[in-house]
Amino acid sequence: MYKTIIKDFGSIAPVFKEDNLFVLFGTSAPDELKDISYIHEIIEVSESFTLDNATTFKINNIEFKVDKVGSEAHNNLMTLGHISVYLNNEDILPGAVAISGDELPDLNKGDILTIE
């Protein structure tokens, strides 16, 4: 399990919802990426956690199926806290994850994200 909390977000980050996308970055996000990112802080990571297409992505209590994981996504998430998450779009970059579901909720400070 990978569990994290949104601590802050840049002014442009919510705009990407129109494109069914959000960008996560850990607290060490470079200044030039903070404006487009949801900044999060890890609450818990299990030793056996692996981000793959057998995992489930939860935003608060809304569950999404992970359909595709880019070749660099797991490593980027574990080292930088960074991934781009696309809803209902499997044409992704190496550092991204594709999830499926109805609609992305608005993300706010204090929201809990869980991947398990």
Side-chain angles (χ1 to χ4, degrees):
M1 175 195 334
Y2 184 97
K3 187 174 186 179
T4 189
I5 184 169
I6 295 178
K7 301 300 268 182
D8 202 1
F9 56 91
S11 61
I12 298 173
V15 175
F16 290 116
K17 182 181 177 192
E18 296 170 10
D19 297 321
N20 288 322
L21 163 68
F22 64 92
V23 177
L24 290 177
F25 222 114
T27 54
S28 64
D31 289 340
E32 60 270 15
L33 295 178
K34 286 182 178 177
D35 209 32
I36 66 165
S37 300
Y38 288 90
I39 307 301
H40 67 100
E41 185 175 87
I42 296 170
I43 297 171
E44 176 186 350
V45 179
S46 64
E47 204 170 295
S48 62
F49 171 74
T50 301
L51 176 58
D52 59 30
N53 62 354
T55 55
T56 302
F57 198 106
K58 292 182 187 174
I59 302 172
N60 293 320
N61 291 320
I62 303 169
E63 195 169 294
F64 298 88
K65 180 184 177 297
V66 175
D67 294 319
K68 188 173 182 180
V69 177
S71 60
E72 297 298 319
H74 178 80
N75 185 55
N76 287 352
L77 181 62
M78 299 306 287
T79 58
L80 303 170
H82 172 59
I83 54 172
S84 298
V85 180
Y86 291 85
L87 177 68
N88 300 326
N89 181 353
E90 290 196 34
D91 186 20
I92 60 170
L93 296 171
V97 173
I99 61 174
S100 58
D102 293 331
E103 181 180 351
L104 289 176
D106 292 329
L107 296 174
N108 297 292
K109 291 179 187 177
D111 283 353
I112 303 294
L113 308 177
T114 307
I115 308 169
E116 55 186 349

